[in-house]
Amino acid sequence: MFKNAIVKTPSRSMINGITSATLGQPDYSKALIQHKDYINALKECGLKVTVLEADEDFPDSTFVEDVALCTPHCAIITNPGAETRKKEIHAMIPTIEQHYKQIEYIQAPGTIEAGDIMMVGNHYYIGLSKRTNQQGANQMIAYLNKYGMQGSMVTMKEFLHLKTGVNYLENNNLLACGEFFDKPDFAQYNISEIAGDEAYATNSVWINGTILTPKGFPKTKLIIENLGYKIREVDVSEFEKLDGGLSCLSLRF
Ligand code: CIR
């Protein structure tokens, strides 16, 4: 079970965030409303939410998931692969220090963004994406081992981050899209395939028994319902315009 979440208010500069999407520029006022509802959803799942102030210097800094991995035993501050995102870690460290005694740091030339890390119990899958390299993954696995956890690397080429295309919903259930559907790494799980036209909804998140899922993806919603979960839909259309999914908007621990 998770107890805490950290989120960060979107900045006005988010309209200049990195994106590969062709959905147009985000509407800032709408993004703020959606972000508030996201916070409400986290609270409904029983989390105590720390809300960090917006930081205009970093357009993508609302996607806090990428800058730290918060495990039950330690937190690991990442070294984001995107040049414009590297310094986002500095504003996050003091907040992490309030929650963790054991904090580790990924060092260059290692890069890693925690959107590439999927937790399954004590095991962490690490996607080797354009943002996460092998040195970063090796450092991460060494830290996980130091605290009694395990990690393994997953090759990938289609998605921005690992969790853009695959997510663990607990109880052995996995949502997977595209290249991740038949990856041997995940063969042991009960995999539900998410259709290409709903790929964005693969990034649905288990929080204390409820699944947060993006609004507007009926086929995925049905799949999750049929797996027996309670669902909370959240409209995150303005973050989708920046390739950001539900999980990216919070650290949960
Ligand atoms: C980026 O490209 O870094 C942001 N626009 C989106 C980050 C999304 N984060 C995630 O999937 N964990």
Side-chain angles (χ1 to χ4, degrees), residues 87-98:
K87 292 185 181 158
E88 286 179 23
I89 61 168
H90 301 302
M92 181 57 74
I93 291 169
T95 308
I96 295 291
E97 283 172 344
Q98 284 170 13

Side-chain angles (χ1 to χ4, degrees), residues 193-251:
E193 185 173 19
I194 303 302
D197 61 347
E198 293 206 358
Y200 180 71
T202 312
N203 190 267
S204 293
V205 189
W206 180 96
I207 305 180
N208 300 344
T210 298
I211 307 295
L212 259 52
T213 191
K215 191 167 174 233
F217 299 88
K219 287 185 278 190
T220 307
K221 187 174 175 228
L222 193 62
I223 287 171
I224 298 171
E225 268 166 3
N226 287 340
L227 288 169
Y229 294 104
K230 182 179 161 201
I231 291 188
R232 167 62 153 91
E233 284 186 292
V234 189
D235 189 355
V236 280
S237 63
E238 301 316 294
F239 301 94
E240 183 183 5
K241 291 174 181 174
L242 297 176
D243 296 335
L246 275 177
S247 73
C248 328
L249 288 170
S250 61
L251 287 165

Side-chain angles (χ1 to χ4, degrees), residues 24-223:
Q25 260 193 354
D27 175 326
Y28 180 61
S29 337
K30 213 168 158 187
L32 283 181
I33 294 167
Q34 293 181 349
H35 197 256
K36 287 214 166 76
D37 187 47
Y38 181 81
I39 293 170
N40 285 338
L42 296 177
K43 288 181 178 166
E44 285 162 32
C45 294
L47 302 188
K48 182 166 183 284
V49 185
T50 302
V51 184
L52 304 181
E53 276 177 23
D55 189 341
E56 292 300 332
D57 291 340
F58 298 102
D60 288 297
S61 55
T62 191
F63 301 115
V64 285
E65 178 180 62
D66 293 320
V67 298
L69 181 72
C70 293
T71 79
H73 311 291
C74 65
I76 299 149
I77 305 293
T78 68
N79 176 26
E83 280 305 318
T84 56
R85 301 200 58 192
K86 286 193 186 294
K87 292 185 181 158
E88 286 179 23
I89 61 168
H90 301 302
M92 181 57 74
I93 291 169
T95 308
I96 295 291
E97 283 172 344
Q98 284 170 13
H99 289 93
Y100 282 93
K101 284 203 181 73
Q102 308 289 348
I103 304 176
E104 307 285 354
Y105 296 83
I106 301 295
Q107 307 287 353
T111 66
I112 198 156
E113 294 186 2
D116 278 319
I117 307 180
M118 181 175 77
M119 178 183 79
V120 178
N122 218 26
H123 190 94
Y124 293 74
Y125 291 93
I126 306 174
L128 296 174
S129 70
K130 291 196 178 68
R131 305 284 183 88
T132 293
N133 64 22
Q134 207 147 348
Q135 288 117 309
N138 276 328
Q139 289 178 39
M140 182 60 77
I141 291 171
Y143 286 137
L144 292 169
N145 291 164
K146 178 177 166 186
Y147 293 93
M149 300 170 280
Q150 283 83 45
S152 59
M153 298 184 208
V154 180
T155 57
M156 56 182 281
K157 45 184 189 293
E158 284 175 23
F159 294 97
L160 170 63
H161 287 123
L162 180 74
K163 283 186 293 191
T164 318
V166 59
N167 278 276
Y168 186 61
L169 302 186
E170 303 296 322
N171 310 107
N172 210 47
N173 293 318
L174 200 71
L175 300 183
C177 189
E179 64 183 314
F180 295 124
F181 179 62
D182 48 13
K183 270 246 175 234
D185 310 60
F186 305 127
Q188 75 219 68
Y189 301 109
N190 173 37
I191 303 183
S192 300
E193 185 173 19
I194 303 302
D197 61 347
E198 293 206 358
Y200 180 71
T202 312
N203 190 267
S204 293
V205 189
W206 180 96
I207 305 180
N208 300 344
T210 298
I211 307 295
L212 259 52
T213 191
K215 191 167 174 233
F217 299 88
K219 287 185 278 190
T220 307
K221 187 174 175 228
L222 193 62
I223 287 171

